[in-house]
Amino acid sequence: MDNLVIAGREIALDKEGFLRDLNDWSPEVATALATRENIELTRDHWDVITLLRDFYQEFELSPAMRPLVKYVGQHLGPEKGRSIFLMQLFPPSPAKIGSKIAGLPKPTNCL
Amino acid sequence: MTLHIVNQSPLGGSALHDCLASFVEGDALLLIEDAVYAATAPTHHKLPQDNIYALTADAHARGVKLAQGVKGIDEAAWVDLCVAHTPIVSWFR
Amino acid sequence: MQFTLVVYGAPHSSEGAATALRFAQATLAAGHGIYRVFFYADGVHNGSALAAPPQDEQDLLGQWQSLQQDHALDLTVCIAAAQRRGLLSESEANRLEKPSANLAAGFSLAGLGQLAEAAAVSDRLISFGG
Amino acid sequence: MANSILALCRHAPYGNTLAREGLEAILACAAMDQIPAVLFTGDGVYQLLEQDPQAINEKSLRRNLQAMPMFGIEQIHVCEKSVAARGIATDTLQLAGAELVLLADTGAFIRDFDQVLSF
């Protein structure tokens, strides 16, 4: 897979477009990763990306769909704590695509 | 009624101890693998009085003679025990 | 009655894998069904195609495979536990950019959801410790 | 009706992988809407103590455990005797967001379930 080039620096991606080194993540990197998924990041996207990173900080886990929905609901209100909201932001698989853009570890294909 | 299955030697770890702490009258206990060593001296290891089984193949393999009160069974009888009990709890390591 | 077996022991390392195999054979001989055998933790090594035990020792892999063929057994290896320990199918090796695959024929990789589902629907679940 | 499932956790964290892989299985069940009851007994109660495994290059299992309420597991059962036998003060066992229920009789608790997953 092609690497990203951000401000003249090359950022390595794996075959599926996940960061090889999670320390490479920055908001600019997130924007570039989103573009590769044909997603233009809005305020709502950024709110969820921030929560994804908070979730990882708090629990040291990349969230599956169910806990992500609950976590978003707790922090952004019940209107947004719904699968459909996340599905619209990060189709077709919000936990996976969201984790990729937020620079979290690649899910183990398990949850 | 629960079927408890232990596979660790009685003093080799806490499996048997932990199991007995959750054993209720009417439950069954099956000793397999290294746990069959407990079947040589059931009272010494404070095994319950009733419904104590040991896998004969595992006991034979180790030269263990089952003391009175411990019933030796084969794999087919083990399957029957599983059919007759729920849940089945394994205590290992 | 439908049984699910969960295997935690690596073959030729702890006895649990061999005990599970004997139990599986007895279960089928008694006319019961096996809904799934789920290999977890070190048990994932049971699915390695590369095991080569000496000829005068039992061939656990071969026995699982012939049981699988005779009874169309569902032999599922937990994908997350397998990845950690280096047990990969062709497609996983490709996806994870690893040099080779070693998942034996007759076994399949799947997520822990398969354990949850088997626990929810089978009549009996029995674990074989490693 | 789907079976009721109990996850029995009786291994300490870090020494072997069962504690972590057990938790992964518990979370997977919950993610599939098969929410299991969870019982910590034996050395498993050590999973609930404060941990700082950075120096051994491990992720914190206790942090992972705290995700259980997010997966819909809001009650955690703990064997009272196991806690006492290890000289642990019960008030040091806390898991944010979850209610800890101390059990005096684990045997009576266990026999109400259809299936038990042991970790």
Side-chain angles (χ1 to χ4, degrees):
Chain A
M1 176 128 330
D2 309 339
N3 291 337
L4 293 178
V5 179
I6 306 282
R9 196 165 93 81
E10 189 159 332
I11 309 260
L13 301 182
D14 76 6
K15 236 176 176 169
E16 294 178 287
F18 284 83
L19 292 176
R20 285 195 190 274
D21 182 350
L22 300 179
N23 294 317
D24 282 339
W25 191 86
S26 67
E28 294 72 38
V29 168
T31 305
L33 288 170
T35 304
R36 298 165 65 100
E37 304 286 337
N38 296 316
I39 294 172
E40 195 181 327
L41 297 180
T42 64
R43 185 72 255 155
D44 280 341
H45 288 95
W46 282 110
D47 285 347
V48 174
I49 289 171
T50 305
L51 284 178
L52 277 159
R53 293 185 65 83
D54 289 351
F55 187 102
Y56 184 74
Q57 281 287 317
E58 193 171 342
F59 303 119
E60 297 188 8
L61 291 173
S62 297
M65 192 59 182
R66 182 190 176 112
L68 180 58
V69 168
K70 184 160 175 178
Y71 199 70
V72 168
Q74 283 181 354
H75 291 85
L76 302 179
E79 270 303 294
K80 295 183 174 173
R82 294 161 61 212
S83 338
I84 185 79
F85 173 72
L86 295 171
M87 199 66 93
Q88 285 164 342
L89 294 179
F90 299 107
S93 169
K96 185 176 176 191
I97 305 293
S99 293
K100 186 192 280 189
I101 295 171
L104 305 187
K106 175 148 102 175
T108 54
N109 261 1
C110 219
L111 295 183
Chain B
M1 254 84 79
T2 306
L3 170 62
H4 301 266
I5 302 173
V6 181
N7 79 338
Q8 189 179 45
S9 112
L11 298 180
S14 64
L16 181 63
H17 174 270
D18 289 358
C19 167
L20 295 180
S22 287
F23 194 93
V24 183
E25 202 183 316
D27 288 356
L29 171 63
L30 171 63
L31 306 167
I32 67 169
E33 302 175 4
D34 285 350
V36 296
Y37 291 115
T40 56
T43 46
H44 177 78
H45 293 297
K46 301 193 171 65
L47 301 190
Q49 302 269 305
D50 300 317
N51 306 325
I52 308 300
Y53 304 87
L55 211 52
T56 310
D58 289 348
H60 278 177
R62 289 162 176 79
V64 162
K65 279 214 172 60
L66 304 181
Q68 211 173 10
V70 180
K71 192 169 181 228
I73 62 168
D74 64 7
E75 283 74 10
W78 180 6
V79 173
D80 292 340
L81 267 186
C82 291
V83 170
H85 291 82
T86 174
I88 303 165
V89 187
S90 295
W91 306 84
F92 52 88
R93 265 212 245 200
Chain C
M1 210 168 242
Q2 293 291 321
F3 282 72
T4 287
L5 281 56
V6 189
V7 181
Y8 294 100
H12 311 286
S13 170
S14 84
E15 197 178 354
T19 305
L21 179 69
R22 269 157 59 207
F23 184 86
Q25 288 162 340
T27 304
L28 294 166
H32 297 293
I34 292 184
Y35 185 76
R36 181 167 295 141
V37 185
F38 192 83
F39 296 94
Y40 196 42
D42 286 348
V44 300
H45 292 298
N46 284 283
S48 170
L50 302 181
Q55 282 174 303
D56 60 351
E57 290 180 18
Q58 69 170 332
D59 171 18
L60 286 169
L61 173 64
Q63 291 182 78
W64 279 120
Q65 286 177 317
S66 69
L67 212 57
Q68 195 278 330
Q69 287 202 333
D70 294 348
H71 300 272
L73 276 197
D74 177 341
L75 303 180
T76 297
V77 177
C78 172
I79 194 165
Q83 278 175 17
R84 287 188 177 113
R85 292 168 175 86
L87 193 92
L88 302 173
S89 63
E90 285 291 346
S91 65
E92 280 298 286
N94 190 28
R95 185 176 81 85
L96 299 169
E97 303 171 54
K98 295 294 176 189
S100 60
N102 58 343
L103 183 71
F107 291 76
S108 55
L109 290 176
L112 276 163
Q114 297 294 303
L115 175 62
E117 191 256 348
V121 305
S122 30
D123 300 307
R124 295 290 184 274
L125 180 141
I126 174 167
S127 309
F128 296 86
Chain D
M1 251 307 268
N3 291 319
S4 57
I5 303 171
L6 170 67
L8 187 66
C9 305
R10 44 175 295 273
H11 290 89
Y14 311 117
N16 67 49
T17 62
L18 266 176
R20 175 171 305 284
E21 293 192 301
L23 176 66
E24 288 179 7
I26 289 166
L27 296 182
C29 287
M32 294 263 300
D33 285 322
Q34 307 295 331
I35 297 183
V38 183
L39 168 60
F40 291 90
T41 183
D43 276 357
V45 300
Y46 287 131
Q47 294 184 30
L48 301 169
L49 298 178
E50 272 300 328
Q51 297 159 22
D52 183 9
Q54 234 183 350
I56 59 167
N57 299 313
E58 287 274 359
K59 300 204 299 181
S60 166
L61 184 73
R62 191 157 179 277
R63 287 265 193 96
N64 294 167
L65 289 173
Q66 282 171 348
M68 283 197 285
M70 282 297 142
F71 283 76
I73 302 168
E74 272 140 17
Q75 259 195 351
I76 314 271
H77 300 87
V78 183
C79 169
E80 202 168 26
K81 275 181 258 173
S82 301
V83 174
R86 284 161 182 77
I88 298 169
T90 46
D91 58 3
T92 59
L93 302 177
Q94 268 172 21
L95 210 57
E99 180 197 355
L100 252 58
V101 183
L102 287 173
L103 292 183
D105 188 348
T106 49
F109 181 72
I110 290 170
R111 47 157 73 175
D112 281 343
F113 291 90
D114 297 315
Q115 319 280 31
V116 177
L117 295 165
S118 305
F119 300 111

